[in-house]
Structure formats: structure tokens, C-alpha cells
Amino acid sequence: MLIENWRAALDKSELVGLLSTDMSKGFDNMYYPLMEAKLKAYGTGDNSLDPIRSYFCNRFSRVKIGNPTSSWMKVTRGCPQGSAFGPLLWNLFQNDLTFLIKSYVCLSADDH
């Protein structure tokens, strides 16, 4: 369907573009203050933001490979993975990408 849409647009002499992004480390790089600002922009009140803030603040991580274990380090970026809440937050974080494009937009995801 995507290619057919492109062909139809080209037949009408419309501009066709492709934006390809690699989101493989997207969860690891999400910036919490920006997530909070986006939620405020959507009208989320402080009482609702408090649990989300606690979800992100004071998180620590360490790495264990075999017997050696690294020291604990504070995590300052990233969305906690392994929960149902993480993908929802990531979708909220990146969903305004299409607001920058005013014409027809077709989104496609492929994890291969």
C-alpha cells in the first residue's frame, strides 16, 4: 500500500519523501524532563505527574557479567523497559513527529 501511495502521488507531480529513523536505542535515550514537559503540554496535572516522576527519579543500574559486577550508577536517561508503561511513554514521547509534516503522512514500523 505504501508504494502505491507513492506512485499515486508521483503521478500527480506531488513530492514524495522518506524519513527513515533508527529507534533501536530509543528507549535508552529518552530524556525525562522533555517527557514531563510533553505530558504537561497535553494537560496532565501535577497530581497525575507525581507517579510518573517517581517512575523516573532515583533509578540506578549496574552491570553483571559472570562474577564481576559494576558499581551502581544513577540512570539519567531512558525509559524503564520490561513494563507495559514503557511503550506507552515512548509513544507519547515521539508521537509529535508527524506534527512537523503538514501533508499526507504514512507511518510504518519494522523491527527487523
Side-chain angles (χ1 to χ4, degrees), residues 6 8 14-15 30 37 57 59 61 64 80-81 84 90-91 96 100 102:
W6 290 346
E14 295 177 350
L15 179 66
M30 191 184 75
C57 72
R59 292 178 46 234
S61 180
K64 181 178 181 181
Q81 298 177 39
W90 176 251
N91 285 337
D96 59 354
L100 300 174
K102 302 297 181 198

Side-chain angles (χ1 to χ4, degrees), residues 32 56-62 71-77:
Y32 311 142
F56 287 118
C57 72
N58 296 323
R59 292 178 46 234
F60 291 84
S61 180
R62 67 180 178 175
S71 58
W72 289 99
M73 294 186 71
K74 188 169 185 174
V75 178
T76 59
R77 287 186 170 266

Side-chain angles (χ1 to χ4, degrees), residues 49-71:
L49 282 173
D50 284 342
I52 295 170
R53 286 184 192 113
S54 71
Y55 188 68
F56 287 118
C57 72
N58 296 323
R59 292 178 46 234
F60 291 84
S61 180
R62 67 180 178 175
V63 176
K64 181 178 181 181
I65 301 174
N67 200 20
T69 303
S70 70
S71 58

Side-chain angles (χ1 to χ4, degrees), residues 19-106:
L19 173 63
S20 177
T21 59
D22 179 4
M23 299 292 187
S24 61
K25 292 291 183 184
F27 276 94
D28 297 333
N29 293 310
M30 191 184 75
Y31 185 56
Y32 311 142
L34 184 55
M35 179 77 241
E36 183 177 339
K38 285 187 172 211
L39 289 170
K40 282 182 181 179
Y42 286 137
T44 305
D46 280 332
N47 288 341
S48 298
L49 282 173
D50 284 342
I52 295 170
R53 286 184 192 113
S54 71
Y55 188 68
F56 287 118
C57 72
N58 296 323
R59 292 178 46 234
F60 291 84
S61 180
R62 67 180 178 175
V63 176
K64 181 178 181 181
I65 301 174
N67 200 20
T69 303
S70 70
S71 58
W72 289 99
M73 294 186 71
K74 188 169 185 174
V75 178
T76 59
R77 287 186 170 266
C79 185
Q81 298 177 39
S83 72
F85 195 47
L88 171 66
L89 287 176
W90 176 251
N91 285 337
L92 289 171
F93 186 74
Q94 61 85 40
N95 75 345
D96 59 354
L97 177 64
T98 58
F99 293 155
L100 300 174
I101 304 168
K102 302 297 181 198
S103 60
Y104 175 77
V105 175
C106 180

